[in-house]
Amino acid sequence: MTIIKLGVNIDHIATVRQARKGFEPDPAAAAVIVELAGADSIVCHLREDRRHIQDRDVYVLKETVSTRLNLEMGLADEIIDIALKSKPHQVTLVPEKREELTTEGGLDAVQFKEKLQKIVPVFHQNGIVVSIFVDPERDQIQAAKLVRADMVEIHTGRYANAKNAEDVRVELHKLAEAAMMARNVRLGVAAGHGLNYRNVGPVTKIMEIEELNIGHSIISRAVLTGLERAVREMKEAINRKNY
Ligand code: PXP
């Protein structure tokens, strides 16, 4: 049985911090705990609107992450500059719209072929592995190969949002086909988006998938499973009385 790696997206640690624009919780502290728990990489998305991860986080994470830092990013020049300066181990190129709540689909690697052909070698010259987040479609996988990406991350959002058993089956089949296509052209294969504790199982049966990137459901669970201890510790702090 092959072991599937887990990349943990810690954006929403920063989302909570940005609610107060203060210092806690710190994504770098979260990354240490995530790594101690066994994660294989740390993922964060530096969005153009800086709604969660800030520029400084990327630099601090690059210094502190001991596994791999996978920086999700759009194709804006300003963000590309930061990636080239901070030199994460890997970038995952994603589409980005300001008004979206989260990344809504794969990057259209066919449409952005020329831009990708220019930028992928620049990342490579800087020692950065390039992954492209794509929908599970043949022409997207082919375009990712054409622009010399090292790997693809297959978008699992439509599978995760499927409303009935038949749609789940259809979407799972698309994921499996896309993973096989990618493997056949020697691209590394990751997958992610919308995966949670209930829907991850069937995806793990797709043999070509080497890594899953998961964020929201892990951070959501952490908030709930950690809440009891957090309240107990505050009660202790209030009642310590020996200040
Ligand atoms: N992979 C990519 C490319 C993403 O954009 C995201 C969301 O930031 C994820 C994985 C993680 O998705 P989720 O937070 O739904 O687990």
Side-chain angles (χ1 to χ4, degrees), residues 217-236:
S217 66
I218 293 176
I219 305 301
S220 305
R221 182 167 287 216
V223 169
L224 294 184
T225 57
L227 192 54
E228 183 182 337
R229 177 165 163 193
V231 172
R232 282 187 203 291
E233 288 177 2
M234 182 55 80
K235 287 280 284 187
E236 279 164 28

Side-chain angles (χ1 to χ4, degrees), residues 23 31-32 52 59 73 107 112 118 161 171 212 224 232:
F23 297 99
V32 171
H52 38 55
Y59 291 99
M73 53 178 282
L107 181 70
F112 289 102
K118 282 199 194 111
N161 290 330
E171 295 303 332
L212 293 174
L224 294 184
R232 282 187 203 291

Side-chain angles (χ1 to χ4, degrees), residues 7-9 11-12 43-45 47 52 70 72-73 92-95 100-105 132-134 153-157 160 191-196 212-219:
V8 177
N9 180 312
D11 289 348
H12 295 312
V43 187
C44 69
H45 184 173
R47 296 188 72 102
H52 38 55
N70 176 1
E72 276 182 29
M73 53 178 282
T92 297
L93 305 176
V94 301
E100 69 192 357
L101 291 178
T102 180
T103 314
E104 282 169 356
I132 304 182
F133 185 52
V134 291
E153 178 176 335
I154 301 172
H155 185 33
T156 51
H193 209 283
L195 296 177
N196 60 37
L212 293 174
N213 292 319
I214 305 180
H216 189 266
S217 66
I218 293 176
I219 305 301

